[in-house]
Amino acid sequence: MALRYEVVTSTRAGKERARPYATDEALEPGTVFVLDGRHWLVERLEGERAYARPARYRLSLRHPDGRAELGAFRRYRPDGPRLGHSFTTLEDGLPVSWEVVDRQLAHDDEGAPYLELVAERDFSELEELPHHELEHALVQREWNLPEAAAASFSRAEQAGLAIELVALEAGEEPDWEEALRFIDSLVIEEVEDDLIELCGVNPDRDPRETWLGTVQERLRSDLEAFRADVEGDHAELEEWDFRGGRIFASVGSWEDEADPNRGHGWMCRLADAEALGAAGFDRVQKVQLEPDLS
């Protein structure tokens, strides 16, 4: 029998929004679930009311000698790590393997919730090589990447900010016109509810027939700003070379995701809308950045 909850979230304008949610498994503080196309993190429960915030996580490495190594905050996506997730980093040029052994609800210095994931060595590199994680290897500068890459992750960690990454393959140039055609061809039924709000729509106030125009206008503006920054002085975005290609990074807060004037907002909205994919950018999965060990 399905359990029914009233999920309470806050809009970008700070207004509470309540929506019904049914599930076969009971919610509890620290649960991550999907509602209206977005991953949410349960912060607290009051009876059948679940108060949730956009889900994000931080992965920490607990070394055998007791040292703790903290990763950057990341928006939770379907490929996000969970209990039992295996991955590797590099130490002294050699792969070492880890497994996520603990998860718990935590709060940052501003009181915002996140999922704290703790990984410990499992030594499975002696048998096989699981996927490599990006952020820890970058912080340790073990792949000979420019210092700007490690600095971006370090800055995000220290400030409690999130990182988004997209990449171009070696020799590729962005197809900006294809991205624009993709935006022009969007239909509102294919746009996730969270992206609609990120683009400035207030679903409780704005007539539905205006939503698509608002979303497309914001995405066109984002694409123009993103292109200008990529081709210009990189005032908002970071760029570095990796294995012949180029990686672009944005660093920002949850609030920045909806900001029309921040590079983190441009990248999050364009990536979520898949417009950057139409332009030829790949949304970076950590496994795609594993070093060549052959």
Side-chain angles (χ1 to χ4, degrees):
M1 180 177 179
L3 301 172
R4 301 187 181 278
Y5 295 89
E6 184 178 52
V7 175
V8 180
T9 61
S10 294
T11 67
R12 300 283 168 174
K15 180 182 177 181
E16 284 194 348
R17 182 182 182 190
R19 285 167 286 179
Y21 178 73
T23 176
D24 293 332
E25 298 183 3
L27 298 180
E28 59 183 26
T31 297
V32 175
F33 65 99
V34 177
L35 177 62
D36 293 337
R38 173 141 201 178
H39 286 83
W40 298 91
L41 174 63
V42 177
E43 184 173 16
R44 71 181 193 277
L45 289 171
E46 294 181 1
E48 295 181 351
R49 289 171 65 89
Y51 290 81
R53 298 284 293 273
R56 57 181 185 143
Y57 69 92
R58 184 175 68 178
L59 182 63
S60 303
L61 302 183
R62 184 186 295 156
H63 290 264
D65 61 6
R67 289 182 296 116
E69 184 181 341
L70 303 180
F73 287 103
R74 301 296 301 270
R75 290 200 299 164
Y76 201 93
R77 299 209 298 260
D79 65 331
R82 59 201 68 202
L83 281 176
H85 175 76
S86 295
F87 60 93
T88 65
T89 62
L90 296 177
E91 289 187 6
D92 299 324
L94 298 175
V96 295
S97 61
W98 306 80
E99 181 179 343
V100 177
V101 298
D102 189 29
R103 67 190 296 276
Q104 56 185 311
L105 180 67
H107 294 80
D108 62 20
D109 293 339
E110 302 297 324
Y114 67 93
L115 195 63
E116 183 76 60
L117 301 172
V118 179
E120 294 183 345
R121 285 291 310 275
D122 68 0
F123 300 96
S124 64
E125 74 272 9
L126 301 177
E127 301 174 2
E128 59 180 345
L129 296 179
H131 295 323
H132 294 78
E133 289 289 335
L134 168 63
E135 55 219 56
H136 302 294
L138 283 177
V139 170
Q140 296 167 26
R141 303 180 187 179
E142 289 171 329
W143 297 348
N144 297 317
L145 291 175
E147 290 191 3
S152 294
F153 278 81
S154 178
R155 175 163 54 93
E157 291 168 15
Q158 294 173 13
L161 301 175
I163 294 177
E164 287 295 322
L165 303 162
V166 296
L168 284 173
E169 296 289 342
E172 274 197 30
E173 292 296 329
D175 189 339
W176 304 114
E177 293 304 317
E178 181 61 29
L180 188 58
R181 285 192 291 271
F182 179 88
I183 293 171
D184 290 341
S185 68
L186 286 173
V187 294
I188 198 64
E189 289 77 14
E190 296 175 354
V191 182
E192 293 183 351
D193 289 359
D194 185 60
L195 178 58
I196 291 174
E197 290 192 37
L198 286 178
C199 288
V201 173
N202 185 329
D204 298 325
R205 181 193 64 203
D206 300 334
R208 182 178 176 84
E209 61 268 20
T210 68
W211 293 4
L212 180 58
T214 300
V215 169
Q216 290 175 319
E217 182 179 358
R218 175 59 55 81
L219 292 176
R220 292 188 195 102
S221 177
D222 289 341
L223 184 65
E224 181 179 358
F226 185 89
R227 177 179 181 176
D229 201 85
V230 166
E231 296 179 344
D233 59 4
H234 291 43
E236 289 287 327
L237 305 173
E238 300 280 348
E239 178 185 350
W240 60 85
D241 296 330
F242 184 77
R243 296 172 67 179
R246 292 187 289 164
I247 298 174
F248 299 88
S250 69
V251 177
S253 65
W254 178 71
E255 291 79 8
D256 291 335
E257 294 178 22
D259 193 327
N261 300 313
R262 296 298 303 272
H264 191 62
W266 310 335
M267 185 179 292
C268 289
R269 291 187 295 271
L270 290 169
D272 287 352
E274 300 184 7
L276 289 184
F281 293 88
D282 292 320
R283 195 169 197 172
V284 174
Q285 307 290 327
K286 295 168 191 159
V287 65
Q288 293 175 329
L289 296 181
E290 63 186 59
D292 186 358
L293 297 178
S294 61

